[in-house]
């Protein structure tokens, strides 16, 4: 036999060793990323809204999907024009559809930003501890990662941030506000100082913005002033639509124009666009849970502090607390009692997502039962109780 067919005939050579698959060298040794998805009674580990979409919203979503079902033989609007108009209306601040872009979750938005503005020979900078997907997406887009440190209280000092950026000159800077996993919200002055110092694009990741205290300013107010600023948001958190996979960004139309170069054609399905628009039309319904979650969060912070734990101030729907000599053992002890939280953040800390009152009661009971030997030194009953006392 002659020709290419002979060269690629299957089964002709030895079986390929799966360990020898030609993965990029820079990805060797990496494991797929993801929080454990365990089937336990109380799941407080991925910062979702614990309240399912209200019935009115679920019905609206069902009708919207039914309405597009008959047209699924056609590709969707690849510019998601109507959805972007709706998202601009939801965001307010005088934003228009041309200043908004949407994708499958804000993780995809971040990936598009790094594909367009990062890449080989360029670097992105973040202030850690922060959202671990920023360096991970940098890595898979071949963008170098520069890790700067937050202050002891997890804030960012504007002068120090500006000087770090002026020295490092990254192509992309990430600021997360409220920050995951610490819950820290940034004052606008920090964002302005970073935008003034940055030579490239500044991303303010506001995935948890709706949970911030009244009066906390959003970086959205700065979008008209800074053409290289991108503010990312998501419907996965306050909006109770994590399963729908909708994230979006507000930025100048010029910056969005560059993202169109890297986005896959028709990246956002007609079903996703319809679902998101239906949910936005009843925005008040899912957002009604935000006030309850904020109150539950503040209660959780007070309770943890009353127990003697160190707790970071939180403007989000989760709380970072510690500090444990062996946080994994504490995480496991809670899991053994059916409560899944997240082992993340600086060593010694754990993060709990705010759930329903019942879920938070289960968390408190489980934490109270964590063996004394695992609690921080200062909290050990034998350090507080007279010798020989028993409980
Ligand atoms: C800070 C931050 N940004 C972005 C995301 C990604 O959200 P999604 O891709 O669901 O929109 C998360 C999810 O946990 C997050 O914590």
């Amino acid at each position: 036999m002659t020709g290419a067919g002979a060269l690629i005939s299957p089964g002709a050579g030895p079986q390929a060793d799966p360990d020898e698959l030609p993965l990029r060298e820079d990805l060797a040794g990496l494991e797929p990323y993801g929080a454990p998805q365990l089937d336990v009674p109380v799941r407080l580990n991925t910062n979702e809204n614990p309240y399912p979409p209200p019935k009115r919203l679920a019905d609206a979503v069902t009708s919207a999907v039914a309405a597009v079902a008959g047209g699924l033989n056609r590709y969707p609007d690849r510019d998601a024009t109507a959805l972007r108009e709706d998202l601009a209306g939801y965001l307010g601040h005088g934003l228009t559809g041309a200043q908004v872009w949407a994708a499958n979750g804000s993780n995809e938005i971040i990936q598009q930003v790094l594909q367009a503005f990062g890449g080989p020979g360029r670097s992105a900078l973040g202030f850690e501890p922060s959202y671990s997907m920023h360096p991970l997406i940098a890595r898979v887009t071949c963008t170098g990662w520069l890790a700067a440190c937050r202050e002891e209280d997890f804030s960012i000092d504007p002068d120090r941030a500006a000087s770090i950026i002026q020295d490092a000159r990254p192509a992309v800077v990430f600021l997360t506000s409220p920050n995951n996993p610490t819950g820290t919200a940034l004052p606008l002055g920090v964002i302005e100082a970073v935008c003034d110092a940055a030579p490239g694009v500044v991303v303010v990741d506001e995935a948890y913005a709706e949970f911030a205290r009244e009066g906390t300013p959003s970086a959205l107010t700065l979008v008209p002033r800074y053409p290289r600023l991108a503010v990312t948001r998501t419907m996965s958190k306050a909006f109770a639509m994590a399963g729908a996979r909708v994230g979006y960004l507000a930025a100048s139309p010029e910056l969005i124009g560059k993202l169109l170069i890297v986005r896959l054609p028709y990246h956002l399905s007609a079903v996703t666009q319809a679902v998101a628009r239906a949910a936005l039309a009843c925005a008040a319904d899912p957002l009604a849970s935000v006030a309850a979650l904020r109150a539950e969060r503040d209660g959780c912070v007070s309770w943890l502090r009353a127990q003697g734990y160190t707790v970071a101030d939180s403007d989000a729907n989760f709380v970072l607390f510690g500090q444990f000599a062996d946080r994994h053992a504490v995480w496991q002890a809670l899991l053994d009692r059916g409560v899944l939280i997240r082992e993340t953040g600086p060593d010694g800390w754990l993060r709990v997502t705010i759930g329903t009152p019942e879920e938070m009661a289960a968390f408190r009971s489980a934490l109270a039962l964590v063996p004394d030997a695992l609690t921080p030194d200062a909290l050990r009953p034998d350090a507080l109780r007279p010798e020989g006392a028993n409980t």
Side-chain angles (χ1 to χ4, degrees):
M1 200 173 171
T2 55
L7 294 176
I8 58 168
S9 96
Q15 283 293 306
D17 177 352
D19 288 337
E20 295 296 317
L21 286 171
L23 182 69
R24 273 165 36 191
E25 285 79 12
D26 60 307
L27 299 181
L30 284 188
E31 294 291 330
Y33 173 86
Q37 285 194 307
L38 304 177
D39 190 13
V40 293
V42 182
R43 289 192 300 176
L44 303 174
N45 72 327
T46 43
N47 299 344
E48 295 141 318
N49 189 323
Y51 297 102
K55 176 158 177 5
R56 196 170 76 107
L57 194 153
D59 289 347
V61 162
T62 308
S63 313
V65 173
V68 293
L72 288 177
N73 55 315
R74 297 291 179 191
Y75 284 115
D77 171 11
R78 72 177 159 233
D79 292 330
T81 315
L83 172 59
R84 289 162 66 194
E85 297 287 344
D86 290 357
L87 286 166
Y90 166 69
L91 288 176
H93 297 282
L95 292 165
T96 64
Q99 292 169 295
V100 174
W101 178 240
N104 296 283
S106 50
N107 281 335
E108 188 180 45
I109 292 276
I110 292 163
Q111 178 169 288
Q112 292 178 347
V113 168
L114 285 169
Q115 284 173 326
F117 299 107
R122 294 185 171 200
S123 59
L125 182 145
F127 293 85
E128 298 188 346
S130 192
Y131 182 45
S132 53
M133 282 307 291
H134 296 155
L136 223 106
I137 300 173
R139 185 158 186 172
V140 299
T141 57
C142 298
T143 311
W145 181 253
L146 303 168
C149 289
R150 287 177 171 249
E151 306 298 314
E152 192 103 327
D153 62 355
F154 304 127
S155 65
I156 296 177
D157 177 76
D159 296 333
R160 206 172 69 83
S163 111
I164 290 171
I165 290 164
Q166 275 151 4
D167 288 348
R169 304 195 59 75
V172 180
V173 176
F174 284 97
L175 295 172
T176 310
S177 179
N179 186 40
N180 179 11
T182 65
T184 323
L186 293 175
L188 276 193
V190 172
I191 297 164
E192 288 171 308
V194 167
C195 288
D196 289 334
V201 167
V202 175
V203 176
V204 182
D205 183 335
E206 290 194 350
Y208 300 96
E210 289 94 339
F211 295 109
R213 255 154 261 274
E214 285 312 325
T216 308
S218 164
L220 290 172
T221 56
L222 302 177
V223 167
R225 246 171 73 196
Y226 292 104
R228 286 182 279 105
L229 169 66
V231 182
T232 61
R233 294 277 188 112
T234 181
M235 293 181 77
S236 297
K237 308 298 180 181
F239 233 98
M241 297 287 286
R245 308 306 299 127
V246 185
Y248 52 104
L249 148 159
S252 63
E254 292 74 23
L255 190 152
I256 290 170
K258 305 298 178 215
L259 298 182
L260 297 187
I261 297 170
V262 299
R263 68 102 158 85
L264 292 173
Y266 317 114
H267 69 296
L268 203 57
S269 84
V271 172
T272 305
Q273 294 184 39
V275 166
R277 294 193 68 205
L280 284 160
C282 345
D285 292 9
L287 295 178
S289 62
V290 168
L293 289 166
R294 281 186 189 148
E296 197 67 48
R297 166 197 68 204
D298 294 342
C300 175
V301 170
S302 305
W303 181 82
L304 285 165
R305 286 190 177 143
Q307 307 310 298
Y309 290 100
T310 309
V311 188
D313 289 331
S314 176
D315 267 285
N317 66 334
F318 51 82
V319 171
L320 189 73
F321 67 104
Q323 292 168 289
F324 302 97
D326 183 352
R327 71 169 170 183
H328 179 73
V330 177
W331 177 86
Q332 185 64 55
L334 291 172
L335 185 57
D336 293 344
R337 290 168 176 82
V339 178
L340 176 62
I341 65 168
R342 190 77 185 271
E343 205 182 338
T344 185
D347 201 23
W349 297 77
L350 291 168
R351 189 193 73 194
V352 59
T353 301
I354 301 305
T356 62
E358 296 72 29
E359 289 171 326
M360 296 316 286
F363 162 70
R364 288 191 296 271
S365 309
L367 191 64
L369 289 174
V370 162
D372 290 347
L374 294 178
T375 55
D377 282 352
L379 270 68
R380 295 232 176 100
D382 47 3
L384 304 173
R385 269 187 256 120
E387 219 176 316
N390 222 343
T391 51

